[in-house]
Amino acid sequence: MFEVTPGMRRLGASVLGMEAIVVALTTPVAITINKVAPSVALTVGLGLAVLCVLVTGMLKRPAAYIAGTVIQVLAIATGFLVPAMFFLGVIFAVLWMAAIFVARRVEGATKR
């Protein structure tokens, strides 16, 4: 089974916390620059930011890492509203994977 380590929780929380800020800030960009309907921009931007915060609180559970991966896909998909999010979403997805794999590798090496 998937073991959650303290390093994974710390790094995952850092990634999701920063991502929450970035996706929340896509809301005004989508409305003013890309002329997206405010209801759509608010639902997507702030909804995804709230989802990031909620999953951050659940990072002790292995299922939260699946939810975090889904968030990464959704963040990339927000590129359809704000094209820069295609790039930023990929960056956060890479950071998310690094949070999982690098933390596990580092903590595995320190256990020996």
Side-chain angles (χ1 to χ4, degrees):
M1 185 63 188
F2 185 77
E3 179 186 347
V4 177
T5 64
M8 287 171 54
R9 286 196 313 265
R10 280 190 297 270
L11 289 174
S14 298
V15 170
L16 289 175
M18 293 304 296
E19 189 168 10
I21 294 167
V22 170
V23 295
L25 290 173
T26 63
T27 302
V29 173
I31 294 170
T32 58
I33 295 175
N34 296 343
K35 306 298 184 218
V36 175
S39 59
V40 173
L42 286 168
T43 302
V44 171
L46 297 182
L48 193 54
V50 168
L51 192 59
C52 286
V53 172
L54 290 175
V55 171
T56 299
M58 299 178 354
L59 286 177
K60 287 185 179 184
R61 298 185 176 107
Y65 293 87
I66 296 168
T69 303
V70 170
I71 288 173
Q72 304 315 311
V73 172
L74 294 174
I76 293 169
T78 60
F80 291 109
L81 298 178
V82 178
M85 281 304 294
F86 284 124
F87 176 70
L88 292 172
V90 168
I91 289 175
F92 277 112
V94 169
L95 289 171
W96 178 252
M97 288 186 284
I100 294 171
F101 295 113
V102 172
R104 289 183 78 191
R105 174 174 271 170
V106 168
E107 290 179 343
T110 58
K111 283 183 181 179
R112 295 179 200 153

